[in-house]
Amino acid sequence: QVQLVESGGGSVQAGASLRLSCAASGLTFSRSTMVWYRQAPGKEREFVAGISRSGGSTNYANSVKGRFTITRDNSKNTVYLQMNSLNFEDTAVYYCAANSGGYSWVPDAMDFWGKGTLVTVSS
């Protein structure tokens, strides 16, 4: 069974940093486009960052560009999201998702989703 397990969330003050991890199992990780999404209370799910199979291409939401960095380690079947200069607008549940057969980063293209990890940023 495919599993995506996020970790690294927590409660921090504005300006702090967190590193999220997503450990994948049950799929060929190196063939999967990996994506981070987030959902804040009362808001729709939002794309955060995506990374191609080899890690050669990345994409970021404008709201996190320059602050967040997505990376992957195919030898460890893990994708990371380094989050710097966190602010209150970053408060959300962060979800890891995988597109096992394509290159798209849109939610409808994702085959598998993790259960999420909560990030809370206080001012």
Side-chain angles (χ1 to χ4, degrees), residues 36-57:
W36 287 98
Y37 293 87
R38 67 186 182 187
Q39 187 167 23
K43 300 180 67 176
E44 294 183 347
R45 182 175 50 196
E46 176 188 28
F47 169 82
V48 177
I51 188 167
S52 62
R53 296 172 178 180
S54 65
S57 297

Side-chain angles (χ1 to χ4, degrees), residues 66-84:
R67 299 188 298 119
F68 291 10
T69 303
I70 185 171
T71 57
R72 68 190 296 162
D73 188 341
N74 287 349
S75 69
K76 297 180 179 179
N77 289 352
T78 302
V79 63
Y80 306 94
L81 185 68
Q82 178 66 46
M83 306 185 296
N84 297 328

Side-chain angles (χ1 to χ4, degrees), residues 77-95:
N77 289 352
T78 302
V79 63
Y80 306 94
L81 185 68
Q82 178 66 46
M83 306 185 296
N84 297 328
S85 301
L86 287 163
N87 57 60
F88 72 95
E89 295 180 334
D90 297 317
T91 296
V93 176
Y94 284 72
Y95 297 94

Side-chain angles (χ1 to χ4, degrees), residues 3-5 21-32 34 71-80 96:
Q3 287 190 329
L4 303 176
V5 181
S21 298
C22 174
S25 62
L27 78 165
T28 304
F29 183 78
S30 62
R31 295 180 61 187
S32 298
M34 301 302 298
T71 57
R72 68 190 296 162
D73 188 341
N74 287 349
S75 69
K76 297 180 179 179
N77 289 352
T78 302
V79 63
Y80 306 94
C96 175

